[in-house]
Amino acid sequence: MSASLLPPLNALRAFEATARLGGVGRAAQALHVTHGAVSRQLKLLEDHLGLALFQRAGRGLRLTAAGTRLQEACSEAFTGIEDCVRALQRPATSPALVLGCSGSVLARWMIPRLPALQAALPGVHLQWSALDGSFSETQATLDAVLLLAQGPWPRGWQVRELAPERVGVVVAPSHPAAHRLRHVPPSALLQETLLHTSSRPQAWPAWAQAHDLDPAQLQLGTGFEHLYYLLEAAVAGLGPAIAPEPLVAEDLAAGRLVAPWGFAATGGFWVLARPDGPVDARVDALADWVVGQLR
């Protein structure tokens, strides 16, 4: 239908209100106009269409067949317009980016930086999911995962290497071995009872091999299920532990831990990975931010 065939909008509004509310008086009250104004709009509409839309029924009005058809069309149209306007006025929000992250990285590294992250990426709404392990089928249901991992990378994932992983031995200054370990070679650690975690069982053996030591000579003491608990135990002075550098950087700066031999690359990486699929600019922006923080 061309625009010239459409009745005046005010006439349609008066008709829709009259039909819906069952009378000219009620329509006038709802539209905040006079009874006469509604009556004039109804006559204008009937003249425009050349059809009767109402017929008298006692002291009230009853829709004709043409009026019933027009009421149905008007009701649908006005409802659609109201829904559209409501949606346009509603603040635009994007769905949260669901990001998987180990509980230790989340607690010790990410959470203290959340204010900086929110300030840097105010349009990225994050929902965090604590996880352990690497590249599982369950993790493929997330939007992205932040991991400490080592290649080769599995199929089905887009993996961005953010920074090399560096680990080292850390111990609290209050521990009896702390001062002695600062002045001796790494082989001295073979005489110490070591804290360890089941979430990274290869951490100590890999460190020993990197320092030309026999992993079988390591003396493993108290074990913890998660790296987070291991590091809390180290800060409490329970013994030497091994840790990724970023997770203990603040403890080192504050003097809660010392690293007698510094940190060395493991061959692994901090990575931000997402399952294969459409590009998500939020993931790329988050990766750029993490790279900056790891520097």
Side-chain angles (χ1 to χ4, degrees):
M1 179 181 291
S2 66
S4 62
L5 293 179
L6 289 174
L9 179 58
N10 283 341
L12 289 173
R13 291 181 68 230
F15 165 75
E16 189 278 334
T18 303
R20 173 167 48 86
L21 298 173
V24 174
R26 295 191 185 96
Q29 187 175 12
L31 297 174
H32 305 289
V33 296
T34 66
H35 186 287
V38 173
S39 297
R40 286 192 296 272
Q41 292 295 334
L42 294 179
K43 184 177 186 309
L44 176 64
L45 181 59
E46 289 183 326
D47 290 345
H48 183 93
L49 297 175
L51 295 168
L53 300 174
F54 295 97
Q55 60 184 20
R56 290 287 178 184
R59 301 182 62 180
L61 295 176
R62 184 172 63 190
L63 286 167
T64 64
T68 299
R69 290 184 60 187
L70 184 59
Q71 181 198 23
E72 292 172 353
C74 286
S75 177
E76 182 178 349
F78 283 125
T79 298
I81 293 172
E82 289 176 356
D83 291 344
C84 180
V85 170
R86 191 177 297 112
L88 291 173
Q89 292 178 333
R90 186 181 303 127
T93 57
S94 58
L97 181 70
V98 183
L99 183 67
C101 181
S102 78
S104 302
V105 172
L106 181 58
R108 282 197 141 253
W109 192 83
M110 186 59 75
I111 288 178
R113 290 168 173 78
L114 284 182
L117 173 58
Q118 292 166 351
L121 304 175
V124 178
H125 305 283
L126 293 171
Q127 178 178 326
W128 296 92
S129 176
L131 54 85
D132 287 306
S134 177
F135 300 109
S136 68
E137 183 176 342
T138 300
Q139 293 176 22
T141 63
L142 305 175
D143 293 319
V145 290
L146 178 64
L147 299 170
L148 295 170
Q150 190 166 356
W153 311 123
R155 293 182 179 179
W157 289 86
Q158 301 173 34
V159 180
R160 178 172 169 183
E161 297 174 359
L162 306 178
E165 180 189 35
R166 290 166 51 84
V167 303
V169 176
V170 294
V171 62
S174 60
H175 190 272
H179 180 73
R180 181 174 68 255
L181 293 177
R182 291 183 180 185
H183 307 288
V184 294
S187 59
L189 203 64
L190 298 177
Q191 309 304 316
E192 304 296 332
T193 301
L194 310 176
L195 305 176
H196 61 100
T197 173
S198 57
S199 66
R200 303 196 73 179
Q202 294 304 313
W204 276 120
W207 180 88
Q209 291 174 342
H211 290 81
D212 297 321
L213 302 175
D214 181 3
Q217 295 185 42
L218 296 172
Q219 301 182 52
L220 300 182
T222 304
F224 298 88
E225 184 177 2
H226 299 292
L227 179 61
Y228 175 80
Y229 303 135
L230 171 72
L231 298 182
E232 291 298 307
V235 170
L238 300 186
I242 189 167
E245 184 176 13
L247 300 193
V248 293
E250 293 184 4
D251 295 301
L252 294 170
R256 291 187 292 268
L257 292 173
V258 295
W261 304 290
F263 296 83
T266 65
F269 291 89
W270 287 69
V271 302
L272 191 64
R274 62 176 173 230
D276 283 339
V279 172
D280 190 330
R282 297 173 301 171
V283 176
D284 293 330
L286 179 61
D288 292 339
W289 181 85
V290 173
V291 167
Q293 293 294 306
L294 289 174
R295 287 181 183 149

